Amino acid sequence: MNAIIFRADETVLKQSDPTYGSIELKQEAKMRRLVFGVALLAVASVGISASFAAVHQARTLTFEERFAPALPLMVKH
């Protein structure tokens, strides 16, 4: 069975060929994979830039600021 599908930019003759659906599904899968890859890349880049911003804004602690809370505990033992 043949059917003619009219689209805005083209006229396609759709045949009852079983490979037609699988080709369309493969293209859909590739497009989904592409969209997923782009979304994953966007999320990763946001995370990386946020970590760089945190490192840039962090201030280094002195020895006393870092270990002063633990010193009294060490003296007791």
Side-chain angles (χ1 to χ4, degrees):
M1 172 186 244
N2 293 340
I4 297 177
I5 299 173
F6 294 99
R7 295 184 184 160
D9 57 342
E10 61 183 341
T11 303
V12 178
L13 177 63
K14 180 181 176 185
Q15 298 179 352
S16 59
D17 187 11
T19 60
Y20 178 77
S22 67
I23 291 172
E24 191 170 298
L25 290 177
K26 287 178 186 176
Q27 289 174 345
E28 239 177 77
K30 286 181 182 178
M31 188 59 111
R32 262 191 238 122
R33 193 175 303 137
L34 176 68
V35 169
F36 179 75
V38 168
L40 186 64
L41 185 63
V43 169
S45 66
V46 167
I48 290 171
S49 65
S51 66
F52 277 127
V55 167
H56 182 69
Q57 291 178 357
R59 108 183 147 82
T60 57
L61 299 175
T62 63
F63 180 83
E64 184 181 353
E65 290 172 332
R66 187 172 291 173
F67 296 107
L71 290 176
L73 296 174
M74 293 171 65
V75 172
K76 288 181 184 176
H77 288 26

